[in-house]
Coordinates of all heavy atoms in Angstrom, one line a residue:
M9 N 25.8 48.3 20.0 CA 26.3 47.4 19.0 C 25.1 46.9 18.2 O 24.2 46.3 18.7 CB 27.1 46.3 19.7 CG 27.8 45.5 18.6 SD 28.9 44.5 19.6 CE 28.5 42.8 19.1
Q10 N 25.1 47.0 16.9 CA 24.1 46.6 16.0 C 24.4 45.1 15.5 O 25.5 44.9 15.0 CB 23.9 47.6 14.9 CG 22.5 47.4 14.3 CD 22.2 48.5 13.3 OE1 23.2 49.2 12.9 NE2 21.0 48.7 12.8
R11 N 23.4 44.3 15.4 CA 23.7 42.9 15.0 C 23.0 42.7 13.7 O 21.9 43.2 13.4 CB 23.1 41.9 15.9 CG 23.7 41.8 17.1 CD 23.3 40.7 18.0 NE 24.1 40.3 19.0 CZ 23.9 39.3 19.8 NH1 22.8 38.7 19.8 NH2 24.8 39.1 20.8
Y12 N 23.7 42.1 12.7 CA 23.1 41.8 11.4 C 23.1 40.3 11.2 O 24.0 39.6 11.6 CB 24.1 42.4 10.3 CG 24.1 43.9 10.4 CD1 25.1 44.6 11.0 CD2 23.0 44.7 9.8 CE1 25.1 46.0 11.0 CE2 23.0 46.0 9.9 CZ 24.0 46.7 10.4 OH 24.1 48.0 10.4
P13 N 22.1 39.8 10.6 CA 22.1 38.4 10.4 C 23.1 38.1 9.3 O 23.4 38.8 8.3 CB 20.6 38.1 9.7 CG 20.2 39.4 9.2 CD 20.9 40.4 10.1
C14 N 23.8 36.9 9.5 CA 24.8 36.5 8.6 C 24.3 36.0 7.2 O 25.1 35.9 6.4 CB 25.8 35.5 9.2 SG 24.9 34.1 9.9
H15 N 23.1 35.6 7.2 CA 22.4 35.1 5.9 C 21.2 35.9 5.8 O 20.3 36.0 6.7 CB 22.2 33.7 6.0 CG 23.3 32.8 6.3 ND1 24.4 32.6 5.4 CD2 23.8 32.1 7.5 CE1 25.4 31.8 5.9 NE2 25.0 31.6 7.1
R16 N 21.0 36.3 4.5 CA 19.7 37.1 4.2 C 18.9 36.2 3.3 O 19.4 35.4 2.5 CB 20.0 38.3 3.7 CG 20.7 39.3 4.7 CD 21.1 40.6 4.0 NE 21.9 41.4 4.9 CZ 21.4 42.5 5.5 NH1 20.1 42.9 5.3 NH2 22.1 43.3 6.2
V17 N 17.5 36.6 3.3 CA 16.7 35.8 2.1 C 17.0 36.5 1.0 O 17.2 37.8 0.7 CB 15.3 36.2 2.6 CG1 14.3 35.7 1.5 CG2 14.8 35.7 3.9
T18 N 17.2 35.6 -0.1 CA 17.9 36.0 -1.4 C 16.7 36.1 -2.4 O 16.9 36.6 -3.5 CB 19.0 35.1 -1.8 OG1 18.5 33.9 -2.0 CG2 20.1 35.2 -0.8
G19 N 15.5 35.6 -2.2 CA 14.4 35.6 -3.2 C 13.3 35.0 -2.5 O 13.2 34.6 -1.4
P20 N 12.1 34.7 -3.4 CA 10.9 34.3 -3.0 C 11.1 32.8 -2.4 O 10.4 32.4 -1.6 CB 10.1 34.3 -4.2 CG 10.9 34.3 -5.3 CD 12.2 35.0 -4.9
L21 N 12.3 32.1 -3.0 CA 12.4 30.6 -2.4 C 13.6 30.5 -1.7 O 14.2 29.5 -1.4 CB 12.5 29.7 -3.7 CG 11.2 29.7 -4.5 CD1 11.3 28.6 -5.7 CD2 10.0 29.0 -3.6
G22 N 14.3 31.7 -1.3 CA 15.5 31.7 -0.6 C 15.2 31.3 0.8 O 14.2 31.1 1.4
S23 N 16.3 31.2 1.5 CA 16.2 30.7 2.9 C 17.0 31.6 3.9 O 18.1 32.2 3.5 CB 17.0 29.2 3.0 OG 17.0 28.7 4.3
V24 N 16.5 31.6 5.0 CA 17.1 32.5 6.1 C 18.3 31.7 6.5 O 19.2 32.4 7.1 CB 15.9 32.7 7.3 CG1 16.7 33.5 8.4 CG2 14.9 33.6 6.7
Y25 N 18.3 30.6 6.5 CA 19.5 29.8 7.0 C 20.6 29.4 6.0 O 21.3 28.4 6.1 CB 18.8 28.4 7.5 CG 17.8 28.7 8.6 CD1 16.5 28.3 8.2 CD2 18.1 29.2 9.8 CE1 15.5 28.7 9.2 CE2 17.2 29.4 10.7 CZ 15.8 29.1 10.5 OH 14.9 29.4 11.4
G26 N 20.6 30.3 5.0 CA 21.8 30.2 4.1 C 21.9 28.9 3.3 O 22.9 28.3 3.2
G27 N 20.8 28.7 2.6 CA 20.8 27.6 1.6 C 20.4 26.2 2.1 O 20.6 25.2 1.4
S28 N 19.9 26.2 3.3 CA 19.6 24.8 3.9 C 18.2 24.3 3.2 O 18.3 23.1 2.9 CB 19.2 24.9 5.3 OG 18.1 25.7 5.6
M29 N 17.4 25.2 2.6 CA 16.3 24.6 1.9 C 16.7 24.1 0.4 O 16.2 23.1 0.0 CB 15.2 25.8 1.6 CG 14.4 26.1 2.8 SD 13.5 24.8 3.4 CE 12.2 24.7 2.1
K30 N 17.8 24.7 0.0 CA 18.3 24.1 -1.3 C 19.0 22.9 -1.2 O 18.7 21.9 -1.9 CB 19.3 25.1 -1.9 CG 20.0 24.6 -3.2 CD 21.0 25.6 -3.7 CE 21.4 25.1 -5.1 NZ 21.9 26.3 -5.9
I31 N 19.6 22.6 0.0 CA 20.1 21.3 0.2 C 19.1 20.4 0.5 O 19.1 19.2 0.0 CB 21.2 21.4 1.5 CG1 22.4 22.3 1.0 CG2 21.5 20.1 1.9 CD1 23.3 22.7 2.2
F32 N 18.1 20.7 1.2 CA 17.0 19.8 1.5 C 16.3 19.4 0.2 O 16.0 18.3 -0.1 CB 15.8 20.6 2.4 CG 14.6 19.9 2.4 CD1 14.5 18.6 3.3 CD2 13.5 20.2 1.7 CE1 13.2 18.0 3.3 CE2 12.3 19.5 1.8 CZ 12.1 18.4 2.5
F33 N 16.1 20.2 -0.7 CA 15.4 20.0 -1.9 C 16.3 19.0 -2.8 O 15.8 18.2 -3.4 CB 14.9 21.2 -2.8 CG 13.6 21.7 -2.2 CD1 13.6 22.9 -1.6 CD2 12.4 21.0 -2.6 CE1 12.2 23.5 -1.1 CE2 11.3 21.4 -2.2 CZ 11.1 22.7 -1.5
L34 N 17.6 19.3 -2.8 CA 18.5 18.4 -3.5 C 18.5 17.0 -3.0 O 18.5 16.0 -3.7 CB 20.0 19.0 -3.5 CG 20.2 20.3 -4.4 CD1 21.6 21.0 -4.0 CD2 20.1 19.9 -5.9
I35 N 18.6 17.0 -1.7 CA 18.7 15.6 -1.0 C 17.3 14.9 -1.2 O 17.2 13.7 -1.6 CB 19.0 15.7 0.5 CG1 20.5 16.1 0.6 CG2 18.8 14.3 1.2 CD1 20.9 16.5 2.0
F36 N 16.2 15.6 -1.1 CA 14.8 15.1 -1.2 C 14.7 14.5 -2.7 O 14.3 13.5 -3.1 CB 13.8 16.2 -0.9 CG 12.4 15.6 -1.1 CD1 11.9 14.7 -0.2 CD2 11.7 16.1 -2.2 CE1 10.5 14.3 -0.4 CE2 10.4 15.6 -2.4 CZ 9.8 14.7 -1.5
G37 N 15.1 15.4 -3.7 CA 15.1 14.9 -5.1 C 15.9 13.7 -5.3 O 15.3 12.8 -6.1
A38 N 17.0 13.8 -4.8 CA 18.0 12.5 -5.1 C 17.4 11.3 -4.5 O 17.4 10.2 -5.1 CB 19.4 12.8 -4.5
A39 N 16.8 11.4 -3.2 CA 16.1 10.2 -2.5 C 14.9 9.8 -3.3 O 14.7 8.6 -3.5 CB 15.8 10.6 -1.1
M40 N 14.1 10.7 -3.8 CA 13.0 10.4 -4.6 C 13.3 9.6 -5.9 O 12.8 8.7 -6.3 CB 12.0 11.5 -4.9 CG 11.4 12.1 -3.8 SD 10.3 10.9 -2.9 CE 11.2 10.5 -1.5
G41 N 14.5 10.1 -6.5 CA 15.0 9.4 -7.6 C 15.5 8.0 -7.4 O 15.1 7.1 -8.3
V42 N 16.1 7.8 -6.2 CA 16.6 6.5 -6.0 C 15.4 5.6 -5.6 O 15.4 4.4 -6.1 CB 17.6 6.5 -4.8 CG1 17.8 5.2 -4.2 CG2 18.8 7.1 -5.0
V43 N 14.5 6.1 -4.9 CA 13.3 5.2 -4.6 C 12.5 5.0 -5.8 O 12.0 3.7 -6.2 CB 12.3 5.8 -3.5 CG1 11.0 5.2 -3.4 CG2 13.1 6.0 -2.3
S44 N 12.4 5.8 -6.7 CA 11.6 5.7 -8.0 C 12.4 4.6 -8.8 O 11.7 3.7 -9.5 CB 11.7 7.0 -8.9 OG 11.2 6.9 -10.1
A45 N 13.8 4.7 -9.0 CA 14.4 3.5 -9.6 C 14.4 2.3 -9.0 O 14.1 1.3 -9.8 CB 15.9 3.9 -9.6
G46 N 14.2 2.2 -7.8 CA 13.9 1.0 -7.1 C 12.5 0.4 -7.4 O 12.3 -0.8 -7.7
F47 N 11.5 1.2 -7.6 CA 10.2 0.8 -7.9 C 10.3 0.3 -9.5 O 9.5 -0.6 -9.7 CB 9.1 1.9 -7.8 CG 8.5 2.0 -6.5 CD1 8.8 2.9 -5.6 CD2 7.4 1.1 -6.1 CE1 8.2 3.0 -4.3 CE2 6.7 1.1 -4.9 CZ 7.2 2.1 -4.0
W48 N 10.9 1.1 -10.3 CA 11.1 0.5 -11.6 C 11.8 -0.9 -11.8 O 11.4 -1.7 -12.5 CB 11.7 1.6 -12.6 CG 10.5 2.5 -13.3 CD1 9.5 2.0 -13.8 CD2 10.7 3.9 -13.4 NE1 8.8 3.1 -14.4 CE2 9.5 4.3 -14.2 CE3 11.6 4.9 -13.0 CZ2 9.3 5.5 -14.4 CZ3 11.2 6.3 -13.3 CH2 10.1 6.5 -14.1
F49 N 12.8 -0.9 -10.9 CA 13.5 -2.2 -11.0 C 12.7 -3.3 -10.5 O 12.6 -4.5 -11.0 CB 14.9 -2.1 -10.1 CG 15.8 -3.2 -10.2 CD1 16.4 -3.4 -11.3 CD2 15.9 -4.2 -9.1 CE1 17.4 -4.4 -11.4 CE2 16.6 -5.2 -9.2 CZ 17.5 -5.4 -10.4
W50 N 11.8 -3.1 -9.3 CA 11.0 -4.1 -8.8 C 9.9 -4.4 -9.8 O 9.5 -5.6 -10.0 CB 10.4 -3.5 -7.6 CG 9.5 -4.2 -6.8 CD1 9.2 -5.8 -6.9 CD2 8.5 -3.8 -5.8 NE1 8.3 -6.2 -6.1 CE2 7.7 -5.0 -5.4 CE3 8.1 -2.7 -5.2 CZ2 6.9 -5.1 -4.4 CZ3 7.3 -2.7 -4.2 CH2 6.5 -3.7 -3.9
S51 N 9.4 -3.4 -10.5 CA 8.4 -3.7 -11.6 C 8.9 -4.5 -12.7 O 8.1 -5.4 -13.2 CB 8.0 -2.3 -12.1 OG 7.2 -2.5 -13.3
A52 N 10.2 -4.4 -13.0 CA 10.8 -5.2 -14.0 C 10.7 -6.8 -13.8 O 10.6 -7.6 -14.6 CB 12.2 -4.8 -14.4
F53 N 10.7 -7.1 -12.5 CA 10.8 -8.5 -12.1 C 9.6 -8.9 -11.3 O 9.6 -10.1 -10.9 CB 12.2 -8.7 -11.2 CG 13.5 -8.5 -12.0 CD1 14.1 -7.3 -11.8 CD2 13.9 -9.3 -12.8 CE1 15.3 -7.0 -12.4 CE2 15.0 -9.1 -13.4 CZ 15.7 -7.9 -13.3
A54 N 8.7 -8.1 -11.1 CA 7.4 -8.5 -10.5 C 6.5 -9.5 -11.2 O 6.4 -9.3 -12.5 CB 6.5 -7.3 -10.2
R55 N 6.2 -10.6 -10.6 CA 5.2 -11.6 -11.2 C 4.2 -12.0 -10.3 O 4.4 -12.0 -9.0 CB 6.2 -12.9 -11.5 CG 7.3 -12.6 -12.5 CD 6.9 -12.4 -13.8 NE 8.2 -12.2 -14.7 CZ 8.5 -11.1 -15.1 NH1 8.0 -10.0 -14.7 NH2 9.5 -11.0 -15.9
V56 N 3.0 -12.3 -10.7 CA 2.0 -12.9 -9.9 C 1.7 -14.3 -10.3 O 1.3 -14.6 -11.4 CB 0.7 -12.0 -10.0 CG1 -0.4 -12.7 -9.2 CG2 1.0 -10.7 -9.6
T57 N 2.0 -15.3 -9.4 CA 1.8 -16.7 -9.8 C 0.4 -17.0 -10.0 O -0.4 -16.4 -9.5 CB 2.4 -17.6 -8.7 OG1 1.7 -17.5 -7.5 CG2 3.9 -17.4 -8.5
W58 N 0.1 -18.1 -10.8 CA -1.3 -18.4 -11.1 C -2.0 -18.8 -9.8 O -3.1 -18.5 -9.5 CB -1.3 -19.6 -12.1 CG -2.7 -20.1 -12.4 CD1 -3.3 -21.2 -12.0 CD2 -3.5 -19.4 -13.2 NE1 -4.6 -21.2 -12.5 CE2 -4.7 -20.2 -13.4 CE3 -3.5 -18.3 -14.0 CZ2 -5.8 -19.8 -14.1 CZ3 -4.6 -17.8 -14.8 CH2 -5.7 -18.6 -14.7
E59 N -1.3 -19.6 -8.9 CA -1.9 -20.0 -7.7 C -2.3 -18.8 -6.7 O -3.4 -18.8 -6.1 CB -0.9 -20.9 -6.8 CG -0.7 -22.3 -7.5 CD 0.3 -22.2 -8.6 OE1 1.1 -21.2 -8.7 OE2 0.4 -23.1 -9.4
R60 N -1.5 -17.8 -6.6 CA -1.7 -16.5 -5.8 C -2.9 -15.8 -6.4 O -3.7 -15.3 -5.7 CB -0.4 -15.6 -5.8 CG -0.6 -14.5 -5.1 CD 0.8 -13.7 -5.1 NE 0.5 -12.3 -4.5 CZ 1.4 -11.4 -4.8 NH1 2.5 -11.5 -5.4 NH2 1.1 -10.1 -4.5
S61 N -3.0 -15.8 -7.9 CA -4.1 -15.1 -8.5 C -5.5 -15.8 -8.2 O -6.4 -15.2 -7.9 CB -3.8 -15.0 -9.9 OG -4.8 -14.4 -10.7
I62 N -5.3 -17.2 -8.3 CA -6.6 -17.9 -8.1 C -7.0 -17.6 -6.5 O -8.3 -17.6 -6.3 CB -6.4 -19.4 -8.4 CG1 -6.2 -19.5 -9.8 CG2 -7.5 -20.2 -8.0 CD1 -7.4 -19.1 -10.7
A63 N -6.2 -17.8 -5.7 CA -6.4 -17.6 -4.3 C -7.1 -16.2 -4.0 O -8.1 -16.1 -3.2 CB -5.1 -17.7 -3.4
R64 N -6.5 -15.2 -4.7 CA -7.1 -13.8 -4.4 C -8.5 -13.8 -5.1 O -9.3 -13.2 -4.5 CB -6.2 -12.8 -5.2 CG -6.6 -11.3 -4.9 CD -5.8 -10.5 -5.7 NE -6.3 -9.1 -5.5 CZ -7.2 -8.6 -6.1 NH1 -7.9 -9.1 -7.0 NH2 -7.6 -7.2 -5.9
R65 N -8.7 -14.3 -6.3 CA -10.0 -14.4 -6.9 C -11.0 -15.1 -6.0 O -12.2 -14.6 -5.9 CB -10.0 -15.0 -8.2 CG -9.2 -14.2 -9.3 CD -9.1 -15.0 -10.6 NE -8.2 -14.3 -11.6 CZ -8.1 -14.8 -12.8 NH1 -8.8 -15.8 -13.2 NH2 -7.3 -14.2 -13.7
K66 N -10.7 -16.2 -5.5 CA -11.5 -16.9 -4.5 C -11.9 -16.1 -3.2 O -13.0 -16.1 -2.9 CB -11.0 -18.2 -4.1 CG -11.0 -19.2 -5.4 CD -10.4 -20.5 -4.8 CE -10.5 -21.6 -5.9 NZ -9.8 -22.9 -5.6
R67 N -11.0 -15.5 -2.8 CA -11.1 -14.6 -1.6 C -12.0 -13.4 -1.7 O -12.9 -13.2 -1.1 CB -9.8 -14.2 -1.0 CG -9.8 -13.4 0.3 CD -8.4 -13.3 0.9 NE -7.5 -12.5 0.0 CZ -6.5 -12.8 -0.7 NH1 -6.0 -14.1 -0.5 NH2 -5.8 -12.0 -1.5
V68 N -11.7 -12.8 -2.9 CA -12.6 -11.6 -3.3 C -14.0 -12.0 -3.5 O -15.0 -11.3 -3.1 CB -12.0 -10.8 -4.5 CG1 -13.0 -9.9 -5.0 CG2 -10.7 -10.2 -4.2
A69 N -14.3 -13.1 -4.4 CA -15.7 -13.7 -4.6 C -16.3 -14.2 -3.3 O -17.5 -13.8 -3.4 CB -15.3 -14.8 -5.6
A70 N -15.7 -14.7 -2.4 CA -16.1 -15.1 -1.2 C -16.6 -13.9 -0.4 O -17.8 -14.0 0.2 CB -15.3 -15.9 -0.4
K71 N -16.0 -12.7 -0.3 CA -16.4 -11.5 0.3 C -17.7 -11.0 -0.3 O -18.5 -10.5 0.3 CB -15.3 -10.5 0.3 CG -14.1 -10.8 1.3 CD -13.1 -9.6 1.3 CE -11.9 -9.8 2.1 NZ -11.0 -8.9 2.1
R72 N -17.7 -11.2 -1.6 CA -19.0 -10.6 -2.4 C -20.1 -11.5 -2.4 O -21.1 -11.3 -3.0 CB -18.5 -10.1 -3.8 CG -17.5 -9.1 -3.8 CD -17.2 -8.7 -5.1 NE -16.2 -7.6 -5.2 CZ -15.5 -7.1 -6.3 NH1 -15.7 -7.7 -7.5 NH2 -14.6 -6.2 -6.1
G73 N -19.8 -12.8 -2.1 CA -20.8 -13.8 -2.1 C -21.2 -14.2 -3.7 O -22.2 -14.6 -3.9
K74 N -20.1 -14.3 -4.4 CA -20.4 -14.7 -5.7 C -19.5 -15.9 -6.2 O -18.6 -16.2 -5.2 CB -19.9 -13.5 -6.8 CG -20.9 -12.3 -6.6 CD -20.5 -11.2 -7.6 CE -21.4 -10.0 -7.4 NZ -21.1 -9.0 -8.4
T75 N -19.6 -16.4 -7.3 CA -18.7 -17.5 -7.7 C -17.5 -16.8 -8.4 O -17.7 -16.0 -9.3 CB -19.5 -18.4 -8.8 OG1 -20.7 -18.7 -8.2 CG2 -18.7 -19.6 -9.2
P76 N -16.3 -17.4 -8.1 CA -15.2 -16.8 -8.7 C -15.0 -17.1 -10.2 O -15.3 -18.2 -10.6 CB -13.9 -17.4 -7.8 CG -14.5 -18.6 -7.2 CD -16.0 -18.4 -7.3
N77 N -14.4 -16.2 -11.0 CA -14.0 -16.5 -12.3 C -12.6 -17.1 -12.4 O -11.7 -16.3 -12.0 CB -14.1 -15.3 -13.1 CG -13.8 -15.4 -14.6 OD1 -13.5 -16.5 -15.0 ND2 -13.7 -14.4 -15.3
L78 N -12.4 -18.3 -12.7 CA -11.3 -18.9 -12.6 C -10.5 -19.0 -13.9 O -9.4 -19.6 -14.0 CB -11.4 -20.4 -12.0 CG -11.9 -20.4 -10.6 CD1 -12.1 -21.8 -10.2 CD2 -11.1 -19.5 -9.7
G79 N -11.1 -18.5 -15.0 CA -10.4 -18.3 -16.3 C -9.3 -17.4 -16.4 O -9.2 -16.3 -15.6
G80 N -8.3 -17.6 -17.3 CA -7.3 -16.5 -17.5 C -6.2 -17.1 -18.4 O -6.3 -18.2 -18.8
V81 N -5.2 -16.4 -18.5 CA -4.1 -16.7 -19.3 C -2.8 -16.9 -18.5 O -2.4 -16.0 -17.7 CB -3.8 -15.7 -20.5 CG1 -2.6 -16.0 -21.2 CG2 -5.0 -15.4 -21.3
A82 N -2.3 -18.0 -18.5 CA -1.1 -18.3 -17.7 C 0.1 -18.4 -18.6 O 0.1 -19.0 -19.7 CB -1.2 -19.7 -17.0
L83 N 1.3 -17.9 -18.2 CA 2.5 -17.9 -19.0 C 3.7 -18.2 -18.1 O 3.8 -17.4 -17.1 CB 2.7 -16.5 -19.8 CG 3.8 -16.4 -20.7 CD1 3.6 -17.4 -21.9 CD2 4.0 -15.0 -21.2
D84 N 4.2 -19.4 -18.3 CA 5.3 -19.8 -17.4 C 4.9 -19.8 -15.9 O 5.7 -19.6 -15.0 CB 6.5 -19.0 -17.5 CG 7.2 -19.0 -18.7 OD1 7.0 -20.1 -19.5 OD2 7.8 -18.0 -19.3
G85 N 3.6 -20.2 -15.7 CA 3.1 -20.4 -14.3 C 2.7 -19.1 -13.7 O 2.4 -19.0 -12.4
N86 N 2.7 -18.0 -14.5 CA 2.3 -16.6 -13.9 C 1.1 -16.3 -14.6 O 0.8 -16.5 -15.9 CB 3.4 -15.6 -14.2 CG 4.7 -15.9 -13.5 OD1 4.7 -16.3 -12.3 ND2 5.7 -15.9 -14.2
D87 N 0.1 -15.6 -13.9 CA -1.1 -15.0 -14.4 C -0.8 -13.8 -15.3 O -0.3 -12.7 -14.6 CB -2.2 -14.8 -13.3 CG -3.5 -14.4 -13.9 OD1 -3.7 -14.3 -15.1 OD2 -4.4 -14.0 -12.9
L88 N -1.0 -13.7 -16.4 CA -0.7 -12.6 -17.3 C -1.3 -11.4 -17.0 O -0.6 -10.3 -16.7 CB -0.8 -13.0 -18.8 CG -0.2 -11.9 -19.8 CD1 1.2 -11.9 -19.6 CD2 -0.6 -12.5 -21.2
S89 N -2.6 -11.3 -16.8 CA -3.3 -10.1 -16.5 C -3.1 -9.5 -15.1 O -2.9 -8.4 -14.9 CB -4.9 -10.2 -16.5 OG -5.4 -11.2 -15.7
A90 N -2.9 -10.4 -14.2 CA -2.6 -10.0 -12.7 C -1.1 -9.4 -12.7 O -0.8 -8.5 -12.0 CB -2.7 -11.1 -11.7
T91 N -0.1 -10.0 -13.4 CA 1.2 -9.6 -13.5 C 1.1 -8.1 -14.2 O 1.9 -7.2 -13.6 CB 2.1 -10.6 -14.3 OG1 2.1 -11.8 -13.6 CG2 3.5 -10.0 -14.5
I92 N 0.5 -7.9 -15.2 CA 0.5 -6.6 -15.7 C -0.2 -5.6 -14.9 O 0.4 -4.5 -14.9 CB -0.3 -6.8 -17.3 CG1 0.5 -7.7 -18.3 CG2 -0.7 -5.4 -17.8 CD1 -0.2 -7.9 -19.5
K93 N -1.2 -6.0 -14.3 CA -1.8 -5.0 -13.3 C -0.9 -4.5 -12.2 O -0.7 -3.4 -11.8 CB -3.0 -5.6 -12.7 CG -3.9 -4.8 -11.9 CD -5.1 -5.4 -11.4 CE -5.9 -4.5 -10.4 NZ -7.2 -5.1 -9.9
L94 N -0.1 -5.6 -11.6 CA 0.9 -5.3 -10.6 C 2.1 -4.4 -11.2 O 2.5 -3.3 -10.5 CB 1.4 -6.6 -10.1 CG 2.6 -6.3 -9.0 CD1 2.2 -5.7 -7.9 CD2 3.2 -7.8 -8.7
Q95 N 2.6 -4.9 -12.3 CA 3.5 -4.0 -12.9 C 3.2 -2.6 -13.3 O 3.8 -1.6 -13.1 CB 4.2 -4.6 -14.1 CG 5.0 -5.9 -13.9 CD 5.5 -6.7 -15.1 OE1 4.9 -6.5 -16.2 NE2 6.5 -7.5 -14.9
S96 N 1.9 -2.4 -13.7 CA 1.4 -1.1 -14.0 C 1.3 -0.3 -12.8 O 1.6 0.9 -12.8 CB -0.1 -1.3 -14.5 OG -0.6 -0.1 -14.8
S97 N 0.9 -0.8 -11.6 CA 0.9 -0.1 -10.4 C 2.2 0.3 -10.0 O 2.4 1.5 -9.4 CB 0.3 -0.9 -9.3 OG -0.9 -1.6 -9.6
L98 N 3.2 -0.6 -10.0 CA 4.6 -0.2 -9.5 C 5.1 0.9 -10.5 O 5.9 1.8 -10.1 CB 5.5 -1.4 -9.7 CG 5.1 -2.4 -8.6 CD1 5.8 -3.7 -8.9 CD2 5.4 -2.0 -7.1
N99 N 4.8 0.8 -11.9 CA 5.2 1.9 -12.7 C 4.6 3.2 -12.5 O 5.3 4.2 -12.6 CB 4.9 1.5 -14.2 CG 6.0 0.4 -14.8 OD1 7.1 0.5 -14.4 ND2 5.6 -0.4 -15.6
A100 N 3.4 3.2 -12.0 CA 2.7 4.5 -11.7 C 3.4 5.1 -10.5 O 3.7 6.3 -10.4 CB 1.3 4.2 -11.5
A101 N 3.6 4.2 -9.5 CA 4.3 4.8 -8.3 C 5.8 5.4 -8.6 O 6.1 6.4 -8.2 CB 4.5 3.7 -7.3
A102 N 6.5 4.6 -9.5 CA 7.8 5.0 -9.8 C 7.7 6.4 -10.7 O 8.5 7.3 -10.4 CB 8.5 4.1 -10.8
A103 N 6.7 6.5 -11.5 CA 6.6 7.8 -12.2 C 6.2 8.9 -11.4 O 6.7 10.0 -11.6 CB 5.5 7.6 -13.3
A104 N 5.4 8.8 -10.3 CA 5.1 9.8 -9.5 C 6.1 10.3 -8.7 O 6.3 11.4 -8.4 CB 3.8 9.3 -8.6
L105 N 7.0 9.3 -8.3 CA 8.3 9.6 -7.5 C 9.2 10.3 -8.3 O 9.9 11.2 -7.8 CB 8.8 8.4 -6.8 CG 8.0 7.8 -5.7 CD1 8.5 6.4 -5.2 CD2 7.8 8.7 -4.5
S106 N 9.3 9.9 -9.6 CA 10.3 10.6 -10.5 C 9.8 12.1 -10.7 O 10.7 12.9 -10.8 CB 10.2 9.8 -11.8 OG 11.2 10.3 -12.8
G107 N 8.5 12.3 -10.9 CA 8.1 13.7 -10.9 C 8.3 14.6 -9.8 O 8.9 15.6 -10.0
L108 N 8.2 13.9 -8.7 CA 8.6 14.7 -7.3 C 10.1 15.0 -7.3 O 10.4 16.0 -7.0 CB 8.2 13.8 -6.2 CG 6.7 13.8 -5.7 CD1 6.5 12.9 -4.5 CD2 6.3 15.3 -5.3
A109 N 10.9 14.0 -7.8 CA 12.2 14.2 -7.8 C 12.6 15.5 -8.8 O 13.4 16.3 -8.5 CB 13.0 13.0 -8.4
I110 N 11.9 15.5 -10.0 CA 12.2 16.5 -11.0 C 11.8 17.9 -10.4 O 12.5 18.8 -10.5 CB 11.6 16.1 -12.2 CG1 12.3 14.9 -13.0 CG2 11.7 17.3 -13.2 CD1 11.6 14.4 -14.0
L111 N 10.6 17.8 -9.8 CA 10.1 19.1 -9.2 C 11.0 19.5 -8.1 O 11.3 20.8 -7.9 CB 8.7 19.0 -8.6 CG 7.7 18.8 -9.6 CD1 6.3 18.5 -8.9 CD2 7.5 20.1 -10.4
A112 N 11.6 18.7 -7.3 CA 12.4 19.1 -6.1 C 13.8 19.6 -6.8 O 14.3 20.8 -6.4 CB 12.6 17.9 -5.2
Q113 N 14.4 19.1 -7.7 CA 15.6 19.4 -8.5 C 15.4 20.8 -9.1 O 16.2 21.7 -8.9 CB 16.1 18.5 -9.4 CG 16.4 17.1 -8.8 CD 17.7 17.2 -8.0 OE1 18.6 17.9 -8.3 NE2 17.9 16.3 -7.0
T114 N 14.2 21.1 -9.7 CA 13.9 22.3 -10.3 C 13.7 23.3 -9.3 O 14.3 24.5 -9.5 CB 12.6 22.1 -11.2 OG1 12.8 21.1 -12.1 CG2 12.4 23.4 -11.9
A115 N 13.0 23.0 -8.3 CA 12.9 24.1 -7.1 C 14.2 24.4 -6.6 O 14.6 25.7 -6.3 CB 11.9 23.5 -6.1
S116 N 15.2 23.5 -6.3 CA 16.4 23.8 -5.8 C 17.3 24.6 -6.7 O 18.2 25.4 -6.2 CB 17.2 22.5 -5.5 OG 17.7 21.8 -6.7
S117 N 17.0 24.6 -8.0 CA 17.8 25.3 -8.9 C 17.5 26.9 -8.8 O 18.2 27.7 -9.3 CB 17.8 24.9 -10.4 OG 16.5 25.3 -10.9
F118 N 16.3 27.2 -8.2 CA 15.9 28.6 -8.3 C 16.4 29.1 -6.9 O 16.2 30.4 -6.6 CB 14.4 28.7 -8.4 CG 13.9 28.6 -9.7 CD1 13.2 27.3 -10.1 CD2 14.2 29.4 -10.7 CE1 12.8 27.1 -11.3 CE2 13.9 29.2 -12.0 CZ 13.2 28.1 -12.4
M119 N 16.9 28.4 -5.9 CA 17.3 28.8 -4.7 C 18.8 29.1 -4.6 O 19.7 28.6 -5.5 CB 17.0 27.9 -3.6 CG 15.7 27.5 -3.5 SD 15.4 26.2 -2.3 CE 13.6 26.0 -2.3
Q120 N 19.2 30.1 -3.8 CA 20.7 30.4 -3.7 C 21.3 30.0 -2.4 O 20.6 29.9 -1.4 CB 20.9 31.8 -4.0 CG 20.5 32.3 -5.5 CD 20.7 33.7 -5.6 OE1 21.2 34.5 -4.8 NE2 20.6 34.2 -6.8

């Protein structure tokens, strides 16, 4: 009696397990999209208070043995430059995760 596998490799990105890689990439892409949206939502509401910014500047200056620069622009009690820097970091993470999501979705479209 000869046995045949019930699922065969269908292409260079195909799966021996009958589409489980396609499902993995679909779920991975969807998860990365959701996490990316979370980072963008967080970025929209992220703020750095003036007190938190000053405390960080003093801490960094103390580690370096220098005098802290306490100047800056405050808007509604938030340090503008530190807030922009934080939001930029969160946007960069969201964009990278969004790129992974798109790559995973594209890869899954080539699988059967």
